[in-house]
Amino acid sequence: MAHKEDQQDGVNGEGWISDDSSFYGDSSTQATLESEASSFHPMTYWSKCYLSVSALAAEQAAQKSKSSTKKIPLYNEYEGNLSCRQLSETVPAFLERLSPSHTLTRDLRDPWIRIANPHTSWRPTSENWAGFKSTAESILSSLSEKIREHTRQYGSRKTILNRKLSLERKETEEALRKAAADAGCTTGKWMLFLALEQVDEAWESIATATAENELGIAAKVAPQGETDDGRAPRLICIYTKDFSDMDDVKRVLENLVELKLAGKRRWIYYKCGKFISPSPG
């Protein structure tokens, strides 16, 4: 019964809709549509559509990432110290103003010519070197005592002795790293010793690379001493933010090799606090 009522309530199309209606268009339109339909390939269409959507999504994600990335403001730990590069001067101007081979120690505020990496997010912290030295001496004293003890106990059993000593050294290294971190003494430095005739060219390369964020957090070079006869080697130091960050320490070394400042027949040293280890170039 409900079905019959529904039919009675329906719209009577008699006189309004003809069997000859041009709903699908005239013969020309229909021919065009049929031609387009026959040449349409659904898989091709959707593959192109997918690539377009993916590209659009990737572009939007890149724009969002770019807009959300905060630009680190330029920073100079040595700003105001005229023995160092200032943010207001170019690197060439700084090198001309403070040439290592011609700048005398007496003309500087401190005994070094310095440049900071203005792009680094690293900021100096309070470094308790006295506290670290005291803790480190205690740790090393303990290691010495353990070495003597193990040697007395396993002296004739070399395999066991070496295994014990290796373990003690690893634990000592970890204890020293923790003590350095607790004292805020994590910076380290690569050190180059160069002849007077080499220092200006090498310092130009290092200063430029430091300013362009390609080396460490800062660098320094020794100026001309009052009694310097030109025979003593000049020291250049390139600082890293954390001596325990081996990837960063290695990165700086590799870039120094690229600059031809380390490599074959060139010795370079890495130093952290009171500890120093040579690395053959």
Side-chain angles (χ1 to χ4, degrees):
M1 179 66 70
H3 179 65
K4 185 176 182 181
E5 291 176 355
D6 289 341
Q7 287 180 329
Q8 291 176 347
D9 292 337
V11 177
N12 186 355
E14 186 177 353
W16 295 91
I17 301 176
S18 169
D19 291 338
D20 298 326
S21 171
S22 59
F23 176 80
Y24 295 105
D26 56 24
S27 59
S28 175
T29 301
Q30 292 181 35
T32 300
L33 293 174
E34 287 175 358
S35 175
E36 292 179 355
S38 64
S39 62
F40 177 71
H41 300 286
M43 294 303 295
T44 303
Y45 169 80
W46 283 112
S47 64
K48 291 181 178 179
C49 181
Y50 173 79
L51 291 174
S52 299
V53 172
S54 298
L56 179 60
E59 182 179 355
Q60 290 176 340
Q63 290 294 334
K64 183 178 180 181
S65 175
K66 184 176 180 180
S67 61
S68 62
T69 301
K70 293 183 179 179
K71 185 178 180 181
I72 299 174
L74 295 181
Y75 172 78
N76 185 13
E77 180 185 358
Y78 311 126
E79 195 71 14
N81 182 348
L82 296 183
S83 299
C84 314
R85 187 230 175 172
Q86 305 298 292
L87 291 177
S88 59
E89 65 182 338
T90 64
V91 174
F94 161 67
L95 294 170
E96 183 178 358
R97 180 171 66 86
L98 295 172
S99 166
S101 63
H102 295 92
T103 302
L104 298 176
T105 305
R106 69 187 180 194
D107 296 330
L108 297 176
R109 177 176 167 180
D110 61 44
W112 297 95
I113 299 171
R114 305 175 188 264
I115 184 169
N117 177 352
H119 305 285
T120 180
S121 59
W122 177 89
R123 297 293 182 266
T125 57
S126 177
E127 297 181 328
N128 183 8
W129 283 106
F132 171 61
K133 180 182 178 182
S134 176
T135 303
E137 287 176 347
S138 177
I139 293 171
L140 294 175
S141 177
S142 176
L143 174 63
S144 297
E145 179 58 34
K146 290 177 181 178
I147 290 174
R148 287 192 292 268
E149 180 182 341
H150 290 318
T151 302
R152 284 194 300 268
Q153 187 173 358
Y154 305 105
S156 60
R157 301 158 70 182
K158 298 299 183 182
T159 301
I160 298 177
L161 176 61
N162 290 337
R163 185 166 62 247
K164 291 284 186 181
L165 295 183
S166 177
L167 180 61
E168 294 293 354
R169 290 190 178 99
K170 288 180 180 178
E171 291 179 351
T172 298
E173 288 177 4
E174 185 58 35
L176 287 172
R177 288 192 187 96
K178 184 178 184 305
D182 291 344
C185 303
T186 60
T187 56
K189 58 190 175 186
W190 284 107
M191 301 189 301
L192 295 167
F193 294 90
L194 301 167
L196 176 61
E197 61 270 18
Q198 299 173 317
V199 68
D200 280 352
E201 183 178 357
W203 177 241
E204 179 180 356
S205 297
I206 289 171
T208 301
T210 299
E212 294 177 355
N213 198 24
E214 295 175 356
L215 290 176
I217 56 175
K220 70 181 182 181
V221 61
Q224 179 80 9
E226 296 296 325
T227 59
D228 193 346
D229 60 4
R231 290 182 293 181
R234 294 291 186 87
L235 173 61
I236 297 179
C237 299
I238 303 95
Y239 285 87
T240 66
K241 62 182 182 294
D242 186 349
F243 66 86
S244 67
D245 186 345
M246 299 306 294
D247 288 339
D248 184 59
V249 172
K250 183 180 179 181
R251 177 191 62 80
V252 173
L253 175 60
E254 289 173 344
N255 285 346
L256 289 170
V257 172
E258 286 291 324
L259 292 172
K260 302 187 184 309
L261 295 172
K264 288 186 176 180
R265 296 183 295 277
R266 284 182 180 269
W267 282 83
I268 187 169
Y269 301 81
Y270 190 81
K271 182 177 181 181
C272 169
K274 303 298 180 182
F275 309 101
I276 180 170
S277 61
S279 171

